[in-house]
Amino acid sequence: MRIITGIYKGRRFEVPRTFKARPTTDFAKENIFNVLNAYLDFEGAQALDLFSGTGSITLELLSRGCRQVISVEADRDHHRFISDCLKKLGTDAAIPLRGDVFRFLKTCHQTFDFIFADPPYALSELPLLPDMVLDAHILHDDGIFVLEHGAAQDFSFHPCFAEHRAYGSVNFSIFRKA
C-alpha cells in the first residue's frame, strides 16, 4: 500500500496477506483524488474515513494536508494496523476508532468537510449509506461524500448525487450536500 502524493508521498506499508480488506488500488485512488481536487481543497479539511479497512484513504488524506481525519473500522486487526501506520508516520492528526460505522453515524456530533466510505461491496446496507450519511447531519454544507462500491449499484437517482467514476472494477459515487 502506497501513499500517492503529499507530505508522505511514496511511503509504503505492507498489508498482511491475512487481511479481509484490500486497499483501494493506487490507480483508482490516484484518479479519484484527481477528480476530488476540483471539489475540495484538502488542506486544513476535517475528514472522516468510514469502513477504513487498511487505512489507505486515511493516510492519503493526511498526506494531502487534512487537519484531522477520523478513521472508523470495526475489525480489531485492521484497526491495529491503521494505528501502527499512523505511529510510523508520527502524526497525531488522525483518530483511529474501532467500532461499528452505523453506531458511529447515529452518535457522532462532529461535522466534516469530506467523508469517504468503502464498505464491503456485499454489505446489505450499502444502498442506504448515502441517506444514512447525509441525514446524519455530519457533513458541512457543500461538503463532499464519496462512496466506493461495486458496479451493481447506481446512485445517479439520489438528489445529492454529483457524479460517478469507474476505474476498473472500482466505482465511486460522489455526493455533494446542497
Side-chain angles (χ1 to χ4, degrees), residues 102-161:
F102 301 107
R103 191 170 294 139
F104 177 85
L105 289 173
K106 290 178 183 173
T107 60
C108 180
H109 299 292
Q110 189 171 348
T111 56
F112 303 92
D113 303 297
F114 178 74
I115 300 174
F116 185 92
D118 180 8
Y121 290 2
L123 184 73
S124 62
E125 296 93 346
L126 192 145
L128 307 173
L129 272 171
D131 286 332
M132 289 175 154
V133 169
L134 296 167
D135 292 346
H137 305 292
I138 59 172
L139 189 62
H140 288 155
D141 290 342
D142 288 328
I144 300 297
F145 168 53
V146 174
L147 176 60
E148 184 174 333
H149 56 84
Q153 282 82 29
D154 176 12
F155 295 99
S156 60
F157 63 88
H158 195 281
C160 295
F161 177 81

Side-chain angles (χ1 to χ4, degrees), residues 14-175:
E14 195 62 39
V15 178
R17 294 187 191 278
T18 58
F19 274 21
K20 294 171 266 183
R22 305 304 316 155
T24 301
T25 65
D26 287 352
F27 175 75
K29 184 168 58 171
E30 182 172 13
N31 280 289
I32 193 62
F33 272 97
N34 286 339
V35 170
L36 291 172
N37 284 330
Y39 284 95
L40 173 73
D41 180 8
F42 290 100
E43 190 69 37
Q46 292 275 113
L48 174 62
D49 182 10
L50 300 172
F51 305 95
S52 300
T54 62
S56 173
I57 300 299
T58 293
L59 299 175
E60 194 69 39
L61 289 166
L62 289 170
S63 186
R64 290 169 184 261
C66 284
R67 181 176 69 236
Q68 182 185 57
V69 180
I70 294 179
S71 170
V72 183
E73 173 55 46
D75 184 275
R76 175 184 43 120
D77 294 332
H78 294 196
H79 174 264
R80 185 180 312 117
F81 178 78
I82 294 167
S83 297
D84 290 346
C85 289
L86 293 169
K87 284 178 190 160
K88 288 176 184 173
L89 291 179
T91 180
D92 60 357
I95 301 170
L97 300 177
R98 181 171 170 241
D100 179 75
V101 165
F102 301 107
R103 191 170 294 139
F104 177 85
L105 289 173
K106 290 178 183 173
T107 60
C108 180
H109 299 292
Q110 189 171 348
T111 56
F112 303 92
D113 303 297
F114 178 74
I115 300 174
F116 185 92
D118 180 8
Y121 290 2
L123 184 73
S124 62
E125 296 93 346
L126 192 145
L128 307 173
L129 272 171
D131 286 332
M132 289 175 154
V133 169
L134 296 167
D135 292 346
H137 305 292
I138 59 172
L139 189 62
H140 288 155
D141 290 342
D142 288 328
I144 300 297
F145 168 53
V146 174
L147 176 60
E148 184 174 333
H149 56 84
Q153 282 82 29
D154 176 12
F155 295 99
S156 60
F157 63 88
H158 195 281
C160 295
F161 177 81
E163 69 177 287
H164 171 261
R165 295 292 178 121
Y167 306 103
S169 62
V170 181
N171 290 264
F172 298 99
S173 287
I174 301 171
F175 302 85

